[in-house]
Amino acid sequence: MSFSLFSSQSTAHLRFHSQSLPLSLLLKKCTALSQLQQIHAHIITSQPSLSLVIALFRSYTSFGSLTHARLLLDRFPSPHFPSTLLSNSLIQAYSKTPNSQESLHLFRRMLAVSGPAFPDKYTFTFVIVASSRQPSPEFGASVHGQVVRNGFASDVFVSNSMVNMYSCFGRMDDAQKLFDDMPQPDTVSWTSLIGGYTKRGEVTVARELFDKMPERNDVSWAVMTAGYVGSGRFNEALHLFHDMLHNHKVKPNEAVLVCVLSACAELGALDQGKWIHVYLDKSCVPKSSSISTALIDMYAKCGRVECATQVFDNMFSRDVCTWSSMITGLAMHGHGKEALRVFTKMLDEGINPDDILLLGVLNGCSHAGLVDEGCSIFNNMKHFWGIEPKIEHYGCLVDLLGRAGQLEKAYDFVKSMPVDPDIIIWRSLLSACRIHGYVDLGEQIIDHIAQLDPSSYGGGYALLSNLYASLGRWDKVGRVRKEMSARSKSNPGCSWIEIDGVVHEFLAADRLHPQIVEIRNELNVILKRISTTGYFANTKQVLFDLSEEDKEQAISWHSEKLAVAFGLMSTKSGSPIRIVKNLRICEDCHSAMEAISLVFDREIVVRDRSRFHTFKQGKCSCLDYW
Ligand code: ZN
Ligand code: ZN
C-alpha cells in the first residue's frame, strides 16, 4: 500500500505518496474531519470529478460537518453539478439539526437564484420537516403555498410531511383537511395524523383513527402506545400492547417497549414489566441505553430497587438519564446514602449531572435526613455544574429542612428565596409542621396558601378545605367549600394493584369494580380486625364536617384501602401486596396499612406520589416521616 492513514496522538493525518490511491477510496477510509479537510484542500487545486465532489460532500454530512459541506457546495457551483441533489442533501441534513433554520435559508436561495438547482418533491419534503421545527407555523404555511403552486400537492411524500408539520403545531383542522384531500393516504399519513391527535391529548379520536387504519406498521403501534402513556392512560397502553402481541402478532420495536415499560412503572405492574425483561433477554435484542434506563425505572418504581441495581450494574455504557433513573430510584426508596454513593461514582467517571438528576440526589438526601450533604449539594449547584436551581430544587431543600424538624430555618429560607414559593413548597412545609407539631406556623402557612390563586395549583380549594379541616377550623372549611363547589373539581384519588398480570384500578368510594360489594365487605372485616390492635380511624383528614361515624365511612373507602382489601382477597397468604397510589397516602391509610401488615402478617408496599412505604410487622420503612 502506497499511503498510510494513521492517527498520531491526538491529531490524525493522511499521508499522500507519489503513487497514491484514488482519492475516492481514500475518502472511505477517513476517520476524522481533519482528514476530509486535507482531501478538500487537495481537490481545490485540481479538476475533481463530479463523483468525487459528491463523495466528499456526503462524507462531510455524515461527519455532521455541515459548514464544510456547504463551503464545498459554494466552491463548486452550477452549471457543472446537479445542484438540486446536493442542495437537497444539505437541506435534509440541516433539517435534522437544532440549526434547522439553515434549511430554510438554503431553500430561499434555491428559489431566488434561477439555475439548475430547482426544488423538487424531495426539497419540499425536507423543507417542510425543517419548518415543523420552527417556533411558529408561518413559514410552513408559506411552503404549503409553494407546494401547491409547484404542483406537488398530490405527492404522497410531500403531503405526509405537511400533515406531520401541521400536527406538530397542533393545527389538527389543517392536518385533517390535508389528509382528507389525499387520494391515497398511506400508513405514514395515518400515523402522522394519529400522532398529531395524541399530542393534543385527543387520544380517543386518535384511537378511532387507529382502529380504522387499513394497515399498521411498528411505528403506528408505537405512536398509539405513546399517546396513551403521554396522557396518563397507562392501563389502556398495556391493553394495546397485548393486542399487538397476541392478536396482531406484531413484533414491538424499541419505542413501544420503552413506552410499555414506563406504563408498567407508573402502574406498579411488576409482573408485566418482568415479562418484558424476559422477552428482551429471550429475543436477544441488544439492550440500548434507553431500554435499560426504562427497565431501571420500572423496577425502581415497582418496588424492586435491587433488580434496578442489577440492570444498572450490567450495563456497559451509561448516559446521564441512566444515572438519573438509578439515583432517583434509590432516593424514592429512602436509600439516600446509596444514592449519594452512586452520584459520587458518576462524578468520578467524569459525567456531569443535569438538573433532573440533582433533583433525585436532593430528594435522596431529604428522605434519608442527610441535611448537611443536601445543603452542600444545593449550595454548589451553580458553582460546580453551572446549574441554576429551579423552583423544584428550592422545594427539595425546604422539604429537607422541614423533615429534619428545622422549621424556622425552612420558613426563613422560603421567605428569602429569589423565586415565589409555589403550592408544593408551602405544602411540604405544612406537612412538616403537622408532623413536628408546629401548630401556629402551620396556620400562618395555610394563610399563605389561601392567598395563592386557587387555579394555580391542583386540587386548589379541596386542598385548602382539607387543611383547615385538619386543624378543626370548620368555619373556614365551610367558606372554602362554597367557593369550591362553584369552581374546580379535585383530582380523584386512585390506586392500582396488579393481580396475575392484570392491573385493577380503584377510585375513592369506588363503585366501578365488578367485585366492589365483596371488596367492601372484606374491607369492613379487615377494619374490624385491626381495630383490636389499637388502630382507630384518624378522621382529621376528612374534608367535611361530618359526624365522626360518617367520617370514618368516608376514609374507609379511600382507594388504597379498597386495593389492599382486594389484594388480601386475591393473593396467597404470606405473599406481598403492592399498591400504587396517584396522591400522597393519608395518615389514616398509613396507620391502617401498618396495622394490616401486623395482623395479617403481610408485607405491603405502597408507592405514593412521593415515595415508597414498605409496611412490615406494623412498621413502615418511612418511619412515619413522609
Ligand atoms: Zn387515605
Ligand atoms: Zn410510610
Side-chain angles (χ1 to χ4, degrees):
M1 197 69 56
S2 59
F3 83 107
S4 63
L5 182 62
F6 66 93
S7 295
S8 69
Q9 282 147 17
S10 63
T11 53
H13 288 280
L14 279 180
R15 209 179 265 174
F16 299 99
H17 288 276
S18 49
Q19 290 177 302
S20 63
L21 266 186
L23 287 171
S24 55
L25 280 183
L26 209 51
L27 256 182
K28 285 191 185 138
K29 301 198 171 218
C30 288
T31 52
L33 182 61
S34 58
Q35 297 169 337
L36 296 179
Q37 285 173 286
Q38 287 178 59
I39 295 178
H40 192 159
H42 191 74
I43 66 172
I44 280 180
T45 54
S46 62
Q47 283 284 322
S49 68
L50 170 61
S51 60
L52 182 62
V53 174
I54 294 177
L56 178 57
F57 179 87
R58 295 243 156 93
S59 307
Y60 273 140
T61 52
S62 70
F63 271 75
S65 177
L66 303 184
T67 321
H68 287 101
R70 197 163 170 178
L71 280 174
L72 186 68
L73 195 67
D74 292 341
R75 177 68 182 79
F76 294 99
S78 54
H80 306 295
F81 296 102
S83 302
T84 298
L85 183 75
L86 296 190
S87 301
N88 282 354
S89 336
L90 202 54
I91 289 175
Q92 183 187 22
Y94 272 121
S95 73
K96 294 175 187 161
T97 67
N99 208 4
S100 58
Q101 191 70 27
E102 284 302 314
S103 302
L104 311 182
H105 289 320
L106 284 165
F107 174 66
R108 283 204 192 97
R109 198 173 74 174
M110 232 171 151
L111 291 177
V113 184
S114 63
F118 48 85
D120 60 9
K121 67 174 186 177
Y122 299 105
T123 321
F124 281 110
T125 308
F126 302 145
V127 171
I128 294 161
V129 170
S131 308
S132 60
R133 297 170 131 247
Q134 300 309 303
S136 81
E138 272 92 58
F139 193 84
S142 81
V143 179
H144 186 172
Q146 300 271 6
V147 166
V148 176
R149 276 195 287 286
N150 284 274
F152 292 112
S154 59
D155 183 87
V156 70
F157 290 107
V158 179
S159 300
N160 281 349
S161 58
M162 288 196 295
V163 169
N164 191 48
M165 175 196 71
Y166 283 121
S167 298
C168 284
F169 289 112
R171 285 174 55 165
M172 293 316 294
D173 292 347
D174 293 309
Q176 183 73 55
K177 186 170 177 330
L178 263 167
F179 178 85
D180 292 340
D181 289 345
M182 286 172 81
Q184 266 187 316
D186 63 7
T187 309
V188 178
S189 337
W190 284 90
T191 306
S192 302
L193 193 66
I194 291 169
Y197 280 113
T198 60
K199 266 185 223 125
R200 278 228 314 214
E202 296 180 41
V203 188
T204 311
V205 181
R207 182 59 197 260
E208 278 164 19
L209 283 166
F210 184 79
D211 289 337
K212 275 192 218 149
M213 274 179 92
E215 221 173 297
R216 308 181 186 104
N217 60 18
D218 60 336
V219 181
S220 332
W221 288 96
V223 166
M224 194 61 236
T225 316
Y228 277 132
V229 172
S231 47
R233 293 162 67 165
F234 307 116
N235 228 343
E236 283 159 283
L238 293 189
H239 285 309
L240 188 72
F241 180 61
H242 287 288
D243 193 31
M244 171 183 181
L245 288 181
H246 303 304
N247 302 333
H248 296 269
K249 313 278 178 219
V250 179
K251 214 171 157 245
N253 64 14
E254 182 179 314
V256 169
L257 291 169
V258 169
C259 278
V260 175
L261 280 171
S262 86
C264 293
E266 294 309 320
L267 293 169
L270 179 63
D271 290 347
Q272 299 181 68
K274 275 205 281 203
W275 185 89
I276 294 177
H277 194 177
V278 172
Y279 171 87
L280 282 165
D281 286 344
K282 263 204 226 144
S283 53
C284 301
V285 186
K287 282 195 211 85
S288 69
S289 100
S290 43
I291 286 266
S292 301
T293 304
L295 279 171
I296 292 170
D297 191 51
M298 181 276 294
Y299 277 125
K301 288 194 175 144
C302 289
R304 286 298 181 82
V305 74
E306 71 286 356
C307 299
T309 309
Q310 219 169 50
V311 175
F312 182 80
D313 289 343
N314 286 335
M315 285 174 76
F316 291 111
S317 73
R318 309 179 185 101
D319 58 20
V320 69
C321 297
T322 318
W323 290 94
S324 192
S325 287
M326 191 67 243
I327 289 171
T328 308
L330 289 165
M332 72 190 304
H333 285 269
H335 302 322
K337 287 215 172 91
E338 183 62 10
L340 270 184
R341 197 190 61 77
V342 174
F343 179 57
T344 315
K345 193 169 162 226
M346 180 192 95
L347 296 178
D348 289 346
E349 289 190 15
I351 294 172
N352 273 327
D354 60 11
D355 56 338
I356 299 173
L357 188 138
L358 286 176
L359 207 55
V361 181
L362 288 174
N363 253 318
C365 293
S366 176
H367 284 295
L370 302 168
V371 180
D372 294 343
E373 292 84 346
C375 288
S376 135
I377 289 169
F378 179 87
N379 292 331
N380 287 309
M381 277 175 68
K382 188 149 181 232
H383 176 62
F384 283 168
W385 306 295
I387 297 172
E388 195 73 60
K390 290 188 183 153
I391 184 109
E392 293 89 347
H393 300 97
Y394 284 101
C396 259
L397 201 75
V398 173
D399 202 45
L400 174 73
L401 295 169
R403 281 166 193 278
Q406 304 185 12
L407 267 302
E408 271 98 14
K409 203 171 163 189
Y411 190 48
D412 288 343
F413 177 76
V414 170
K415 286 189 291 187
S416 69
M417 276 167 32
V419 287
D420 283 337
D422 62 1
I423 182 68
I424 300 171
I425 290 184
W426 288 124
R427 222 162 160 173
S428 76
L429 208 49
L430 190 71
S431 324
C433 287
R434 204 169 61 215
I435 289 166
H436 296 283
Y438 282 68
V439 180
D440 295 344
L441 186 55
E443 195 151 2
Q444 277 184 54
I445 289 165
I446 295 180
D447 290 339
H448 278 294
I449 295 176
Q451 282 162 26
L452 296 178
D453 172 13
S455 62
S456 70
Y457 50 86
Y461 289 108
L463 169 81
L464 202 57
S465 112
N466 220 347
L467 298 179
Y468 284 127
S470 69
L471 295 177
R473 299 290 308 270
W474 300 113
D475 51 329
K476 292 198 177 183
V477 172
R479 221 179 50 220
V480 174
R481 273 285 298 161
K482 268 194 209 114
E483 284 187 66
M484 180 171 137
S485 55
R487 296 214 204 171
S488 61
K489 263 195 164 171
S490 62
N491 187 8
C494 183
S495 296
W496 296 280
I497 181 169
E498 187 189 38
I499 306 281
D500 297 331
V502 178
V503 176
H504 297 259
E505 184 173 280
F506 291 93
L507 299 166
D510 201 323
R511 289 191 188 86
L512 297 173
H513 194 277
Q515 287 164 270
I516 193 65
V517 178
E518 281 167 78
I519 297 169
R520 284 182 166 214
N521 290 341
E522 173 77 14
L523 181 56
N524 276 330
V525 174
I526 294 169
L527 293 175
K528 223 169 241 139
R529 259 188 82 180
I530 60 174
S531 65
T532 58
T533 65
Y535 162 81
F536 61 95
N538 174 353
T539 51
K540 267 193 303 192
Q541 298 263 330
V542 188
L543 221 70
F544 318 113
D545 191 10
L546 309 167
S547 71
E548 282 297 310
E549 211 168 85
D550 288 345
K551 275 188 217 167
E552 203 175 294
Q553 280 296 314
I555 44 176
S556 46
W557 305 136
H558 274 184
S559 60
E560 56 271 53
K561 287 206 191 78
L562 293 169
V564 81
F566 184 62
L568 283 171
M569 283 162 64
S570 324
T571 53
K572 285 200 299 282
S573 78
S575 57
I577 295 174
R578 294 166 200 286
I579 295 169
V580 172
K581 164 105 203 250
N582 66 338
L583 307 174
R584 249 179 57 121
I585 184 170
C586 78
E587 276 176 66
D588 177 64
C589 288
H590 199 271
S591 38
M593 297 290 173
E594 285 177 339
I596 294 170
S597 73
L598 179 69
V599 173
F600 293 84
D601 192 17
R602 291 275 195 130
E603 181 182 313
I604 303 170
V605 183
V606 177
R607 186 184 97 207
D608 73 1
R609 201 175 49 197
S610 70
R611 63 163 297 148
F612 270 93
H613 302 265
T614 305
F615 300 91
K616 251 190 226 168
Q617 293 300 314
K619 287 254 158 3
C620 179
S621 61
C622 76
L623 304 171
D624 296 338
Y625 193 59
W626 82 98

